[in-house]
Amino acid sequence: MPADLHIHTNQSDGTFSPEETVKLAAQGGLKTISLTDHDNVDGIEKAVQVGAEAGIEVIPGIELTTETAHAEVHILGYYLDYQAPRLLEVLEKIQKSRVERIHGIVAKLRAVGVEIEADEVFALSGEKSPGRPHVARVLIKKGIVGTFKEAFKRFLDFRAPAYVPHFKLTPGEAIKLINSVGGIAVFAHPAISNADELIPEMIADGLRGIEAYYISHYADQVDYYVKLARKDGLLLTGGSDFHGEDSGRESKLGDFSIPDELVDKLRDEHLRGN
Ligand code: AMP
Ligand code: ZN
Ligand code: FE
Ligand code: FE
C-alpha cells in the first residue's frame, strides 16, 4: 500500500487534528504517512501513537519555510528528533514571529478598510503556527472575500497590501538544523519554488532529497526532477500537501500517493545514519 509524505494538520494550517488525519489516511488506503506541519512538530507524538494502533507508519516530519533574497523555499525534514531542544528553540522563535506577524497583517488590513481582530485568527490557529491561510479563513467567514484565491490575491500575497513577512531561516540553515537533529532534508515542491539554481548549494549544505512527486507538479516537471535527483544522487519523495477541508485545496488523503519503494529508500537512508 502506498504513502503520502507531505501532510498538514491543525498544528499548523491544516483543518484536521493529528488523530483525525491518521484515521483519514487509514480510510484512504495509505500505509505510511508523514505529518509535515509548517514550523511545528507538536502533532507528531500523538500521530505516531494513533498510527501504531491503526496500523499506519507515521514518519516524524516538518516543513520549514525558508527564504533567500530572491525566493521562498520550503524544506521538508524526515525522521528528525522532534524532541531535540535545539530544534524546539528555533521553532519557538519562528512561532513567536508568526504570532507577531498576525498583528501586523491585521493592522495592514485595517489600513485598507478591512476590520478583523487578531483573536479571530488565533481562535482558528492557536498561538503556535498561525499563517496566512488562517487569515484567509477569517476573511471568508466574514464575507469579505469569497475564496482563498481571492484572499491571497487581494490581500495576502507577497506584494499585496497586507503582506507581512515573518522570521525565517535560510535554506542552508534549515538543512543544517534538520541534519543536526538526525533528520533527512528534502527540497519541497521544487516546481512551485522556482529556485533550482539553489540546488547545488543546498546539496553542499546537506540536502538529501527532492520532492519530485507533488500533487500539482505536471508530468514533465516530475520527469525533470526525477532525472535531476538521479544525476545528483538525491532521494525522491512525494506527497499531496493535504490541508483538510475548506483549505483552498480539494484533494482527499489517498487520492495522491507514492510507491513503497521510495519510502524504503528514505528509511534505509535514515537507518544508515543511526
Ligand atoms: P504562511 O506560511 O503563513 O506564509 O502561509 C503560506 C501558506 O499559504 C502556504 O503553505 C499555502 O498553504 C498557502 N497559500 C499560499 N498562497 C496561496 C493561495 N494563492 N491560495 C491558497 N493558499 C495559499
Ligand atoms: Zn500550508
Ligand atoms: Fe510548502
Ligand atoms: Fe506543505
Side-chain angles (χ1 to χ4, degrees):
M1 275 200 297
D4 182 346
L5 302 182
H6 190 151
I7 295 174
H8 297 275
T9 76
N10 65 2
Q11 299 305 297
S12 63
D13 58 2
T15 60
F16 291 112
S17 69
E19 297 93 307
E20 288 166 335
T21 303
V22 171
K23 285 175 189 157
L24 289 169
Q27 285 164 22
L30 295 167
K31 180 180 132 192
T32 312
I33 61 170
S34 184
L35 299 193
T36 53
D37 274 311
H38 300 285
D39 306 325
N40 188 293
V41 291
D42 294 354
I44 296 174
E45 189 169 5
K46 186 78 188 169
V48 169
Q49 186 194 323
V50 177
E53 289 157 18
I56 285 209
E57 181 186 10
V58 179
I59 297 173
I62 193 165
E63 183 176 23
L64 291 168
T65 304
T66 76
E67 70 182 353
T68 67
H70 309 289
E72 184 173 302
V73 172
H74 294 187
I75 302 290
L76 295 158
Y78 294 113
Y79 289 109
L80 74 178
D81 174 2
Y82 55 90
Q83 290 161 333
R86 75 160 78 186
L87 172 72
L88 298 177
E89 207 174 286
V90 176
L91 296 184
E92 197 170 317
K93 181 172 173 188
I94 296 172
Q95 284 155 15
K96 273 204 183 118
S97 168
R98 279 184 167 278
V99 169
E100 275 168 30
R101 171 215 207 191
I102 297 299
H103 293 288
I105 291 176
V106 167
K108 281 194 157 187
L109 284 171
R110 191 155 293 152
V112 293
V114 174
E115 294 285 332
I116 71 167
E117 301 296 329
D119 282 344
E120 294 177 275
V121 180
F122 299 136
L124 296 179
S125 67
E127 294 221 353
K128 283 177 190 165
S129 220
R132 287 178 287 165
H134 298 108
V135 179
R137 255 173 238 153
V138 172
L139 293 172
I140 292 170
K141 204 164 72 183
K142 300 189 98 165
I144 294 159
V145 298
T147 62
F148 267 75
K149 204 169 161 188
E150 188 189 348
F152 276 83
K153 197 165 182 329
R154 282 179 57 197
F155 300 114
L156 302 171
D157 269 340
F158 186 64
R159 292 204 179 86
Y163 180 79
V164 179
H166 63 87
F167 167 75
K168 300 182 190 77
L169 302 174
T170 65
E173 287 168 342
I175 290 165
K176 287 177 194 161
L177 175 64
I178 289 166
N179 276 319
S180 78
V181 295
I184 298 170
V186 172
F187 181 17
H189 44 65
I192 312 290
S193 291
N194 198 15
D196 285 1
E197 71 282 1
L198 299 175
I199 293 175
E201 195 182 327
M202 290 199 287
I203 292 173
D205 285 328
L207 186 79
R208 284 189 276 169
I210 192 157
E211 190 183 41
Y213 302 101
Y214 183 71
I215 193 161
S216 60
H217 280 178
Y218 296 112
D220 60 332
Q221 294 173 326
V222 173
D223 285 349
Y224 175 83
Y225 287 107
V226 167
K227 287 198 184 102
L228 190 148
R230 294 213 174 109
K231 175 172 77 67
D232 289 333
L234 295 170
L235 293 159
L236 286 163
T237 71
S240 71
D241 217 349
F242 179 73
H243 277 72
E245 284 174 333
D246 300 326
S247 60
R249 299 164 192 258
E250 302 307 317
S251 78
K252 290 203 260 312
L253 283 173
D255 284 355
F256 180 94
S257 62
I258 59 167
D260 290 335
E261 297 90 79
L262 295 178
V263 181
D264 294 342
K265 287 189 179 143
L266 184 69
R267 191 185 302 106
D268 287 349
E269 173 81 4
H270 162 62
L271 294 174
R272 241 199 311 277
N274 284 326

